[in-house]
Amino acid sequence: MSEFATFHTTAEWAARYGSSGRSAVLSVGNFDGLHLGHQKILQEVIAAARACQGIAGVITFDPHPLKVLRAGEAPPLVETLAQRMERFAAIGIEAALILRFDRALAGLSPEQFIRGVLVEQLRTAEVLVGQNFRFGHRQEGNVDTLREFGQRFGFSVQIVEPVILDGEFVSSTGVRNAVAEGRVTAAARLLGRPFALTGEIVRGAGRGSTVLFPTLNLAPEQELLPKAGVYATETLVEGRWYRSATNVGFRPTFDGTLLGVETHLFEFSREITNGRLEVRFSERLRDEKKFAGPAELRAQIAADLREIRDYFRRRDLSAAQPVRS
């Protein structure tokens, strides 16, 4: 399999692949979160590219188009651009074209986008998209428009059926709603993996010692955070995973006003003040609450940690049960 490559202009793509004789098999979209619906489309992109020895690729945008067109309506993104690229590579995509979304790009008509990007520069053989795909100035283009241009310019179009769970379409909006409401298990079902926050470790207020449960404090890179509360999590630090308990919130017992993400790692006692963390959210325990003081908070945290350990034990037992036909 070819090494995953990223490009920021069509000229870079053409310089890499122009003399190869290979055509592109593409999907186009924001792919925020790369949920099960996105994964289905990209798996079909990969299969179609293999069938014609083409380039399995995606075109995506940075920043999100709504941040340019209607900033007040732009959603908080599920993942960073770097995470999106990691997901593309992991699923088997060969190349990603990251187009800077600005007013000039937004002003391209559907035909200008198809001709200038897909046809003349990328030599596209096939485009695979979902049924709600829209493109071009004021989103004037849809799947019917795409098919018409495909017939005119000589590329095929495949509309991939959505993934439906519990009677609802899997979507980035559904993922965002689930995370924002603290329904991290529901978000994991839509994503096909746990929702995760990543970022740098930062120094906290030093209150871990007052409640006797030291924590690592995360400065999240993601725009979307789970609803304030206490969660069972798993945390990656220095190349190793630890089961953990994470509080997302404002530390109301100490009159906190800034939202923080604090994680207590089981079987981990060292003090770390820098480096990277990844925190994966498994289950939500409770809302954040204000306590009378450190002693009451300490008792509640101890109870939370017992409950989280019990959660992981139950999960382990469930995973160990034999599958019955």
Side-chain angles (χ1 to χ4, degrees), residues 5 31 37 57 65 70 102 117 142 154 199 253 258 272 307 311:
F31 299 103
R70 298 188 298 278
D102 53 20
V117 177
N142 56 25
T253 303
L258 297 177
I272 298 178
E307 186 173 349
Y311 162 79

Side-chain angles (χ1 to χ4, degrees), residues 12-239:
E12 291 175 0
W13 181 295
R16 172 71 174 269
Y17 296 116
S19 61
S20 69
R22 300 169 66 206
S23 297
V25 178
L26 298 168
S27 188
V28 183
N30 293 306
F31 299 103
D32 185 30
L34 204 65
H35 55 62
L36 293 179
H38 296 145
Q39 292 171 41
K40 181 180 179 182
I41 293 173
L42 297 187
Q43 286 161 354
E44 297 199 20
V45 166
I46 293 165
R50 286 174 179 164
C52 69
Q53 297 184 326
I55 304 156
V58 297
I59 298 176
T60 192
F61 307 98
D62 183 51
H64 190 286
L66 281 179
K67 290 187 176 181
V68 174
L69 300 176
R70 298 188 298 278
E73 300 175 24
L77 297 183
V78 178
E79 292 187 319
T80 65
L81 180 62
Q83 282 180 305
R84 213 183 316 168
M85 296 303 110
E86 290 173 4
R87 307 290 183 212
F88 290 153
I91 205 172
I93 290 295
E94 181 178 344
L97 174 60
I98 308 165
L99 293 179
R100 177 170 179 75
F101 196 91
D102 53 20
R103 291 287 178 179
L105 183 60
L108 294 181
S109 70
E111 180 173 357
Q112 288 172 322
F113 181 80
I114 294 293
R115 184 193 297 271
V117 177
L118 299 188
V119 178
E120 295 177 354
Q121 293 289 335
L122 274 56
R123 299 175 55 198
T124 300
E126 186 168 358
V127 179
L128 297 89
V129 293
Q131 61 186 16
N132 294 324
F133 177 68
R134 304 298 295 254
F135 68 104
H137 182 58
R138 299 185 183 276
Q139 295 192 321
E140 293 170 349
N142 56 25
V143 294
D144 293 329
T145 314
L146 188 62
R147 286 194 179 103
E148 292 173 7
F149 286 125
Q151 293 176 352
R152 186 193 308 180
F153 294 116
F155 60 85
S156 61
V157 175
Q158 181 179 337
I159 308 305
V160 181
E161 292 298 313
V163 173
I164 300 175
L165 287 180
D166 299 328
E168 295 186 5
F169 295 136
V170 175
S171 67
S172 295
T173 298
V175 173
R176 292 187 198 106
N177 290 342
V179 172
E181 293 165 7
R183 296 183 292 110
V184 292
T185 53
R189 290 188 68 235
L190 301 177
L191 291 167
R193 63 185 183 279
F195 172 76
L197 295 178
T198 59
E200 296 293 323
I201 298 170
V202 294
R203 288 185 177 274
R207 297 195 180 101
S209 59
T210 66
V211 294
L212 302 180
F213 298 104
T215 60
L216 297 179
N217 296 270
L218 173 69
E221 299 166 320
Q222 288 70 27
E223 297 176 355
L224 178 67
L225 297 182
K227 181 181 179 181
V230 178
Y231 295 83
T233 56
E234 292 176 278
T235 299
L236 177 66
V237 58
E238 296 183 337

Side-chain angles (χ1 to χ4, degrees), residues 181 285 291:
E181 293 165 7
L285 268 70
F291 297 94

